Amino acid sequence: FEPRKISTAAPRRSDNNRTISYWNIPVRSERCTFVIDASGSMAQPFGTGSGTRLDEAKRQLGRVFETLPKKSKINVITFAGGTTPLFKKLSSLGKKQRKAATVFVTEMRSKGPTNVHDALAAAFADQDIDTIFLLTDGRPSVGPIVDPGQLADEIKRWNLSRSIRIHTIAIGEKSDFLARLAKDSGGQHSVAR
């Protein structure tokens, strides 16, 4: 058995020659799952405008959907107390899927606790993904493992045979937990305020 190789090629560019990125992290993979926190705390204000953290997460996802090429396969999994996937597994971004993704993101609402464990377990269940973008504004508060250190250890174990790159975005404040997930998997970490 040999782990799947992750491309280190330069980021793809859209037709208008801009780098495709999510929260300033380049999207290099064509097999990504975006795991988005939709817990109650995502209703808090973001930045200096009138929008919320979830509003900004939606805006960032919308930009990615507009610029990724058709051959890209994506999924979106939102989480609060449970998880809600956009598709059952990665799907190409044809017109129908792109429209479904846009509607799914538009209808996201913030409520409930933060179940990071089940959200990442749902992402790892898809054998085709090679990259996860995880965005959350809080510590795990429900699920089988809520201790950040223990959860990071568990995800590292899951990833031993998968080599999935996990990019993490801490929205609102710094997160040692998210920084560790990114470091353990060779991903990038960013903090958005």
Side-chain angles (χ1 to χ4, degrees):
F1 175 80
E2 211 169 298
R4 178 182 293 146
K5 302 281 189 240
I6 297 173
S7 172
T8 56
R12 291 185 328 269
R13 297 185 181 272
S14 63
D15 293 338
N16 58 6
N17 209 28
R18 289 184 310 181
T19 300
I20 300 168
S21 65
Y22 181 66
W23 293 91
N24 297 319
I25 298 173
V27 179
R28 293 184 168 103
S29 170
E30 293 179 350
R31 297 190 319 256
C32 298
T33 294
F34 297 87
V35 180
I36 310 299
D37 186 347
S39 65
S41 58
M42 289 292 285
Q44 291 185 27
F46 180 79
T48 57
S50 61
T52 67
R53 293 172 178 179
L54 188 60
D55 290 336
E56 183 60 17
K58 291 178 180 186
R59 189 184 75 76
Q60 294 269 348
L61 271 177
R63 279 187 2 186
V64 170
F65 295 156
E66 288 172 8
T67 54
L68 283 174
K70 285 184 197 177
K71 66 180 179 178
S72 295
K73 291 184 172 184
I74 64 107
N75 201 0
V76 178
I77 298 170
T78 62
F79 68 96
T83 63
T84 305
L86 168 58
F87 304 119
K88 290 182 181 178
K89 60 180 186 172
L90 288 181
S91 292
S92 297
L93 272 179
K95 280 186 182 180
K96 183 179 174 183
Q97 292 84 356
R98 205 176 294 261
K99 183 175 181 181
T102 301
V103 169
F104 181 83
V105 169
T106 301
E107 293 178 351
M108 285 168 43
R109 301 288 177 261
S110 54
K111 62 180 179 181
T114 308
N115 189 342
V116 178
H117 177 280
D118 287 358
L120 287 172
F124 269 82
D126 189 334
Q127 295 300 310
D128 289 336
I129 69 166
D130 64 16
T131 302
I132 293 171
F133 285 84
L134 170 64
L135 175 135
T136 182
D137 70 344
R139 295 170 50 104
S141 60
V142 295
I145 303 173
V146 295
D147 178 85
Q150 291 176 6
L151 184 53
D153 289 342
E154 181 70 4
I155 293 162
K156 188 174 183 179
R157 275 192 292 278
W158 295 349
N159 211 12
L160 286 174
S161 64
R162 298 289 301 277
S163 298
I164 294 172
R165 186 165 286 165
I166 304 171
H167 301 295
T168 59
I169 301 97
I171 188 165
E173 60 187 57
K174 289 173 63 175
S175 168
D176 292 339
F177 165 65
L178 292 179
R180 179 179 165 195
L181 287 183
K183 182 179 178 186
D184 286 351
S185 67
Q188 294 183 43
H189 173 65
S190 112
V191 179
R193 295 188 171 136

